[in-house]
Amino acid sequence: MEPAWHPTRAALLPDLSGAWRQSDKIVKSKPGSLNSKPKAYFRSLRERALALGWAQERILVIDQDLGHSAASTADRLGFQRLVASVGLGQVGLVLGLEVSRLARNSSDWHQLLEICALTQTLILDEEGLYDPSTFNDRLLLGLKGAMSEAELFVMRARLQGGILNKARRGALKLALPVGLGYTESGTIVLDPDLQVQAAIREVFLSFQPTFSASATVRHFHQQHLLFPRRIRRGPHQGELAWGVIQHHDVLRVLHQPAYAGAYVFGRTRTTKTADGKVHIINLPRSEWDTLVKNAHVGYISLRGLREK
């Protein structure tokens, strides 16, 4: 049921700019073009804005956030621009397919509602027209925002639960370190390149006499040995590159349970700060989610890896 119409400054002065805001969850069918269904929705929203008195040239499209999650305002220049324009009183109407998806975060959503109420900016979506300065509309928009945020948490929990369930069975494919690889059937095997195998084994052999990563690096340099690396991103992703071994390369090999034939999931925890930066924290072994011993072939025994 569409809420009752409340005369406001924005409604009485239709020459104010209208912000035609696209949903953050729209997926492009191909570069430069949107799916036909969202296009039809946008046309209907534009027609409603025109019917309410906004001129064609006053309808502004903000689509910079396509492909970005609405869970945070970080890196969402479109949403930041929208909030700033509303706060400056430059917007009379905010339109969207489902306005509660503009921000799937309670603090961001209620901040937008508060600013819209102060500047008497209306909000319009498929289900109706809202005036955030009135109690009933503000309550309804708040509930829609809370449900949208809860929906995101439920989806994330289900996805994470599926990943954990698969990992605990040892069936989840993980990114393997250099020296290991998957067969077509999904079995983990040693890299078929014997030179790669020799380089990995040389790290363990040269480390054993001194138990020093620096000594291992010096040994490789003195013997003019190179160390292999898999390119993880870019046009040459997956290719093998040889280079001078570094101290962190040795530590990464020594702390990698996969070289001991162990299947491990949950060695790190990822957190995100308020500014959107991602931090990865290494967890102690007692807090690993999954550890399956002797899950596949390796270069050393798990006991030997612990000793080293």
Side-chain angles (χ1 to χ4, degrees), residues 268-294:
T268 61
R269 178 182 295 133
T270 303
T271 59
K272 184 177 290 186
T273 58
D275 57 1
K277 293 183 179 179
V278 176
H279 294 272
I280 300 177
I281 303 172
N282 291 317
L283 300 177
R285 184 172 302 170
S286 59
E287 297 183 20
W288 291 356
D289 185 83
T290 303
L291 172 59
V292 182
K293 300 178 182 179
N294 302 319

Side-chain angles (χ1 to χ4, degrees), residues 290-306:
T290 303
L291 172 59
V292 182
K293 300 178 182 179
N294 302 319
H296 54 80
V297 295
Y299 288 87
I300 190 174
S301 66
L302 189 58
R303 179 179 179 182
L305 184 65
R306 289 176 178 173

Side-chain angles (χ1 to χ4, degrees), residues 54-128:
W54 270 266
Q56 183 78 21
E57 62 274 8
R58 292 286 183 175
I59 302 176
L60 174 66
V61 178
I62 302 177
D63 59 357
Q64 294 148 285
D65 294 343
L66 285 172
H68 290 266
S69 172
S72 170
T73 57
D75 299 324
R76 294 184 63 214
L77 299 180
F79 183 79
Q80 296 171 16
R81 178 187 177 190
L82 172 65
V83 173
S85 299
V86 172
L88 293 172
Q90 299 174 348
V91 177
L93 180 68
V94 178
L95 300 92
L97 301 182
E98 189 176 339
V99 290
S100 61
R101 292 192 176 187
L102 292 179
R104 291 197 172 207
N105 180 295
S106 292
S107 60
D108 298 333
W109 175 239
H110 284 282
Q111 180 189 32
L112 176 61
L113 295 183
E114 183 68 27
I115 297 175
C116 287
L118 292 174
T119 58
Q120 296 183 341
T121 301
L122 302 177
I123 296 178
L124 174 70
D125 65 7
E126 289 183 302
E127 297 181 353

